Amino acid sequence: MSDIDFNDLLRDAEQMTAQIDKENTGIPRLNRTLSQIHDVTKKKLAKTSNILSTDSNEINASILLAAKGIDAPKLTQTIESLNIQPNIQPSAKVNQISDETISPFDRLTNIEHLRDVDLPSFLKSEKESVLTSIIAEARQKTNQEIEDSFSTSNELEWEKQKQKIMTELLGSFNPDVSVSNTTTSSYSNRQAGFNPQARTVMNDIELEFARQIYLYNQKILSKEQPKPDLIKIFANFIKKMNEKNLQDLWDMIDTMTNLPPMDFDQKLNYLERNNSEKTQLGYVNQAISHLERSFKDLIQNTVNANLKQAKLGGGLGTLRLVSGYLRLSSSEKYHQFSEETFDDKQPLWPTIYLCIRCGDIEAAKSVALNAKKEDIANYLDEIIKDSRNNCRGRLNHISENKLKIEYKSKIKRVNDAYKRAVYCYLGRYSGDDDSINEVLDNVDDFLWFKLNSVVFKKDQQSDNMTFQEFQAKMSVEFGEKYFTQNRNPFTYLQVLLLTAQFELAVEFLLKYETMIVHGVHMAIGLYEKNMLNILKNPVSSQLIVVGEPSEPKCLRRINFPFLIRMYTRKFECTDPREALEYYFFLRNLKVSTQISGEFKRISNYFALYISELALETREFEVLFGRLEKNAVRKPGIVDKFTNDEEANSIISLVAEEIENKGLIEEAVKLYDLCKQHQRVLELCNKLTSVVVTEINVPNSNRDRLKNMVMSIALRYKTETAITSKAIPKSIITTFYLLVDLMTFFDLYHSQNWETAYETLNKLNILPATSSNVDSKVRDFVAYSEEIKRNFPDLILASMTIISNLYSKINSMPTRGSGFQSSSLMMGAQNEKKTMLEELKEQARALIKFVGCIPYRLSGDINARLLQLEVMMN
């Protein structure tokens, strides 16, 4: 009975139940609870003696568990399988499971087993837990920083590529600028004809402009005083060309920028200087002078073409010229509305107006006096007197107001349009009521009249426009479409220049392929005279940028560095000297850190663009020069514009970028050029360590590198500058050791065993006997990684040399004469046995050395070493 457990009884009971059901004996079934079954069982057990005595508490526990649906035997097995050893793990997050999915049994088995814990172990575990969480957090933060840095670097690279593409397109530099199809197609044709092998891709006018830039920079570098006027230089050069429009353009630019000297505070920015009253007055006076001179030249040319009809006679002067002009048949419009005449029946008011229009107030005054118009003569005399102090004379406010009242009450209704025009001019009445439209029938007359009426301070009692308002009216209200419709496009350019809107003029010129060169050089000339409104922080790839909301609508800012880069992109590869002449204008423009990117030490755009040009063209010798055999640097074209310190800084930055791109040999040459000897040696060590064990083949990578390294080693031994540099001794030692190892492996590969063995012994980096293995192991630990990585091949080569020498000596007679020339073989007539023992000892020392150094050799090398050592024994 004691051998029967509960499971056997349960199985027997189930078999009996199944048998009863099968036989259908008719015996009724009894449904009993666990308590009833327990009572019956106790009665049965009581009838049986010497049977297992069971603790009633265990039975009651089993009944309770069974009532809750828990399998007691299974629970016992689970508890026995639990690891009751104390083990505290760092706290970790456990996935939460809803209470509905946990069975009572799982809920019970998940109860932690609590035991007494050792306090030091607990604290150690908690410390490890905290450290683990900190490491995980730091790792996540580092990964995020790396991703952010990579993203920023990518954006900068994309921005640089975008700028490069935009400059090559040469037309899409501003969304507001519409480039004609003709311009785009002609540029494409020009690019299609680009030949890197050609002498130049610049046309004649571009070459001539570049020549003038070169001569100008020569004067600047020689600090010539007074400073040359670059715009005047360009204007004089254009006069030699038979292009009337271009001559007029540059003459207009020269006139508008030829302002009298003004003493401004150095702290004032461009807008503060440009918006000052004396600057605006200077622009207006220059524009009016240009228009008056041009008009007089027009009358002179017209009269000269019709001298017979003009009947000038022998007199000279503006009045004689105007009188002759009025006699021409082409001047009928001046007689159309004339009601008063004087002297030879000439129309009075047209004559006075034309004299004023030519800028000769004295002639107009003489006409007024001759015609008994004393009031007009007095006004003109007042203007003449005021012009002696203010360059361009004005009436006082009382006289102006008196004339305006007289004009509005009487003169405005007269038929003679030129009389109305003279009164408007004298009283600075703007004529916005269309009362003098018959006179202002072309753009020049319109500009002349309006510029004479502008004011520089807003007066609430005056209807006159300020100069800034007139600028906005011309460029914003009227705009390009108004002036170019059914007119020569040059007209709008003339309006922009005569209203001193230089940035818009540059923008307009850049729209036309043939005028790009003039637009760029106009901007350069304006920049040199501090008359160009440049972008303060030229980060964007836009060439023309609209001003801020608080600034006038007509204001534009020019990305000057981008303009220079865009222009030189065409010829910088074939004409780097000319490109540098243009870059020189950017020497005072500081580089934003966002733009400089990898060139973090570059301070100006001149250095930045030279670096980019060097990286793109790889013409390092042309740009930076080269080292002569006597270690003196032959200057490059950069040295013309910079001192040694700045040139070395640029070369260093280019070398860093070249190194980052993997062009290590080029980087070595550039570092050597700028006297960064430590970087030269570090990179030479890096390059040489890779190829030192290879077989030297003529014109191979190793052969080229060997020649470069040998020349550097020879020069640095004799160059005193290297000794004054604070270069770590380990770098120098590594460099010269690698050079010696290169010589050793050349001897080894040529199977010159004796010389190679002597060279190896001179190097003294491998143990010759077992007694100095320990010292060589210590020396090995101190070697750099460039040396250590070549030790497996060095050890194998040494063992091969020893093995070959051993075989050679072993095959010789005891006192042979086959190697009398070798101190190794025949020195001091050593015995053959002694020499063999020395070689065997050295081989054993190598084997021991291999086992002691903290460096893992491949299995093949170990096997080969053992094989050679065994062959000697």
Side-chain angles (χ1 to χ4, degrees), residues 367-501:
V367 173
L369 289 173
N370 192 15
K372 305 292 193 281
K373 301 291 183 182
E374 286 81 3
D375 55 342
I376 299 298
N378 291 334
Y379 288 136
L380 292 172
D381 185 61
E382 184 179 344
I383 291 176
I384 293 171
K385 291 179 179 178
D386 187 64
S387 65
R388 295 168 186 166
N389 299 323
N390 299 322
C391 182
R392 182 161 298 279
R394 303 286 186 188
L395 294 177
N396 58 49
H397 290 295
I398 298 175
S399 299
E400 284 186 359
N401 292 333
K402 182 179 178 181
L403 279 169
K404 287 179 181 179
I405 293 172
E406 184 179 356
Y407 175 80
K408 291 179 181 179
S409 61
K410 295 189 303 183
I411 306 301
K412 185 176 181 180
R413 288 184 290 275
V414 301
N415 292 329
D416 196 333
Y418 289 95
K419 184 176 182 178
R420 299 196 301 267
V422 170
Y423 270 83
C424 286
Y425 167 79
L426 292 174
R428 287 208 292 177
Y429 181 64
S430 61
D432 290 336
D433 55 1
D434 301 331
S435 59
I436 55 172
N437 281 350
E438 301 95 330
V439 177
L440 309 180
D441 58 351
N442 59 65
V443 174
D444 283 10
D445 290 339
F446 175 81
L447 286 174
W448 176 82
F449 192 86
K450 295 297 182 183
L451 286 171
N452 272 292
S453 67
V454 298
V455 295
F456 306 104
K457 291 182 180 180
K458 191 64 177 177
D459 187 357
Q460 299 298 332
Q461 299 178 355
S462 174
D463 296 332
N464 294 50
M465 287 188 295
T466 65
F467 183 60
Q468 286 188 352
E469 290 173 343
F470 183 64
Q471 286 178 318
K473 186 179 182 67
M474 294 295 101
S475 59
V476 178
E477 184 177 337
F478 288 162
E480 179 182 353
K481 182 179 286 187
Y482 175 83
F483 287 102
T484 56
Q485 188 174 9
N486 301 326
R487 290 190 183 95
N488 187 342
F490 184 79
T491 304
Y492 182 58
L493 178 62
Q494 178 186 8
V495 170
L496 294 175
L497 288 173
L498 293 177
T499 54
Q501 300 185 77

Side-chain angles (χ1 to χ4, degrees), residues 585-822:
F585 290 108
L586 307 176
R587 63 191 180 279
N588 296 323
L589 288 180
K590 302 302 179 183
V591 175
S592 165
T593 54
Q594 186 174 350
I595 283 289
S596 64
E598 62 271 8
F599 304 117
K600 298 187 185 303
R601 295 197 304 274
I602 280 185
S603 59
N604 57 65
Y605 278 93
F606 173 61
L608 174 64
Y609 285 167
I610 289 178
S611 304
E612 292 181 352
L613 177 63
L615 293 172
E616 188 168 344
T617 62
R618 305 286 170 82
E619 295 289 346
F620 302 123
E621 286 193 8
V622 174
L623 293 171
F624 305 129
R626 68 174 185 272
L627 280 178
E628 301 290 357
K629 293 182 179 179
N630 57 359
V632 176
R633 183 168 74 90
K634 181 180 180 181
I637 57 179
V638 170
D639 294 272
K640 170 186 173 182
F641 306 100
T642 61
N643 52 36
D644 289 341
E645 182 180 355
E646 188 174 4
N648 287 338
S649 176
I650 296 173
I651 296 172
S652 173
L653 291 166
V654 174
E656 288 180 13
E657 183 60 18
I658 287 291
E659 180 187 350
N660 293 336
K661 292 186 176 182
L663 303 174
I664 307 298
E665 289 185 43
E666 297 290 347
V668 169
K669 295 176 182 177
L670 291 177
Y671 281 127
D672 199 17
L673 206 59
C674 62
K675 295 184 168 76
Q676 290 198 20
H677 300 299
Q678 181 171 338
R679 289 299 297 153
V680 172
L681 296 181
E682 288 174 347
L683 292 180
C684 283
N685 292 344
K686 182 178 179 181
L687 287 173
T688 309
S689 65
V690 178
V691 299
V692 65
T693 62
E694 295 178 1
I695 299 175
N696 195 59
V697 179
N699 300 322
S700 64
N701 182 38
R702 185 185 188 276
D703 185 56
R704 184 181 66 253
L705 184 61
K706 175 186 174 184
N707 294 333
M708 181 183 74
V709 170
M710 291 295 183
S711 65
I712 291 174
L714 181 62
R715 180 155 43 84
Y716 280 18
K717 278 187 176 181
T718 58
E719 189 176 337
T720 56
I722 186 68
T723 59
S724 62
K725 298 290 184 180
I727 302 178
K729 185 178 179 180
S730 59
I731 297 177
I732 300 176
T733 303
T734 300
F735 174 73
Y736 285 108
L737 183 54
L738 285 171
V739 171
D740 292 336
L741 286 176
M742 191 174 284
T743 303
F744 165 76
F745 276 100
D746 285 343
L747 295 171
Y748 167 73
H749 290 303
S750 63
Q751 298 186 359
N752 192 347
W753 311 123
E754 302 169 36
T755 310
Y757 184 77
E758 292 176 356
T759 303
L760 182 64
N761 287 337
K762 289 179 181 179
L763 292 177
N764 194 27
I765 57 177
L766 293 177
T769 61
S770 299
S771 60
N772 61 359
V773 169
D774 292 339
S775 63
K776 296 304 176 185
V777 170
R778 288 192 295 270
D779 294 343
F780 174 85
V781 174
Y783 287 136
S784 64
E785 182 60 31
E786 288 87 353
I787 300 295
K788 289 179 181 179
R789 72 175 59 165
N790 290 292
F791 255 80
D793 291 325
L794 175 63
I795 293 171
L796 181 59
S798 302
M799 185 65 83
T800 303
I801 292 171
I802 293 171
S803 177
N804 280 282
L805 289 176
Y806 184 90
S807 300
K808 205 169 199 179
I809 296 173
N810 197 29
S811 62
M812 289 170 50
T814 303
R815 293 187 179 270
S817 59
F819 299 93
Q820 292 181 4
S821 61
S822 173

Side-chain angles (χ1 to χ4, degrees), residues 569-580:
R569 178 70 70 179
K570 168 190 171 183
F571 57 84
E572 63 183 6
C573 293
T574 56
D575 301 89
R577 295 177 186 272
E578 284 73 13
L580 259 66

Side-chain angles (χ1 to χ4, degrees), residues 60 75 78 111 128 142 161 227 281 349 353 366 379 443 457 467 510 591 606 689 743 775 794 856:
N60 292 332
L75 178 60
T78 303
I111 298 175
E128 292 176 354
T142 303
Q161 292 299 323
K227 182 181 178 181
L281 179 61
W349 294 106
Y353 172 79
S366 66
Y379 288 136
V443 174
K457 291 182 180 180
F467 183 60
L510 293 176
V591 175
F606 173 61
S689 65
T743 303
S775 63
L794 175 63
R856 182 173 223 155

Side-chain angles (χ1 to χ4, degrees), residues 149-165 594-595 597-599 657 661:
S149 177
F150 177 75
S151 177
T152 303
S153 176
N154 249 357
E155 289 177 1
L156 287 173
E157 186 66 26
W158 275 106
E159 182 67 23
K160 185 185 294 184
Q161 292 299 323
K162 185 174 72 174
Q163 289 188 13
K164 184 177 180 180
I165 293 171
Q594 186 174 350
I595 283 289
E598 62 271 8
F599 304 117
E657 183 60 18
K661 292 186 176 182

Side-chain angles (χ1 to χ4, degrees), residues 62-225:
S62 298
I63 293 172
L64 176 61
L65 292 174
K68 298 295 183 178
I70 298 174
D71 189 354
K74 183 177 180 181
L75 178 60
T76 303
Q77 295 174 3
T78 303
I79 293 174
E80 291 175 352
S81 65
L82 291 176
N83 183 11
I84 62 174
Q85 296 298 325
N87 184 21
I88 300 177
Q89 298 294 337
S91 59
K93 294 182 179 180
V94 182
N95 295 331
Q96 300 296 325
I97 304 174
S98 62
D99 294 338
E100 296 177 359
T101 59
I102 302 178
S103 65
F105 173 73
D106 293 330
R107 197 172 294 163
L108 182 61
T109 57
N110 283 336
I111 298 175
E112 295 182 0
H113 183 72
L114 300 179
R115 293 176 58 90
D116 293 336
V117 180
D118 184 17
L119 185 58
S121 300
F122 173 77
L123 294 177
K124 179 181 178 182
S125 182
E126 284 298 313
K127 179 181 178 182
E128 292 176 354
S129 176
V130 172
L131 290 176
T132 303
S133 62
I134 292 174
I135 292 171
E137 183 180 350
R139 180 181 179 185
Q140 183 179 2
K141 184 177 179 181
T142 303
N143 289 338
Q144 185 63 39
E145 290 177 353
I146 292 173
E147 290 180 4
D148 294 343
S149 177
F150 177 75
S151 177
T152 303
S153 176
N154 249 357
E155 289 177 1
L156 287 173
E157 186 66 26
W158 275 106
E159 182 67 23
K160 185 185 294 184
Q161 292 299 323
K162 185 174 72 174
Q163 289 188 13
K164 184 177 180 180
I165 293 171
M166 294 292 284
T167 55
E168 291 174 352
L169 289 177
L170 198 63
S172 304
F173 28 72
N174 191 353
D176 298 331
V177 177
S178 57
V179 184
S180 63
N181 293 333
T182 305
T183 301
T184 306
S185 61
S186 62
Y187 177 73
S188 301
N189 293 335
R190 185 176 68 181
Q191 287 295 90
F194 176 83
N195 180 11
Q197 302 301 325
R199 169 63 185 88
T200 182
V201 293
M202 304 173 71
N203 56 36
D204 292 340
I205 192 170
E206 289 170 342
L207 284 171
E208 188 57 37
F209 268 117
R211 180 174 175 274
Q212 299 301 327
I213 292 288
Y214 167 78
L215 295 175
Y216 174 78
N217 285 339
Q218 288 287 96
K219 296 176 181 179
I220 295 298
L221 290 169
S222 62
K223 299 181 180 179
E224 180 178 318
Q225 294 296 334

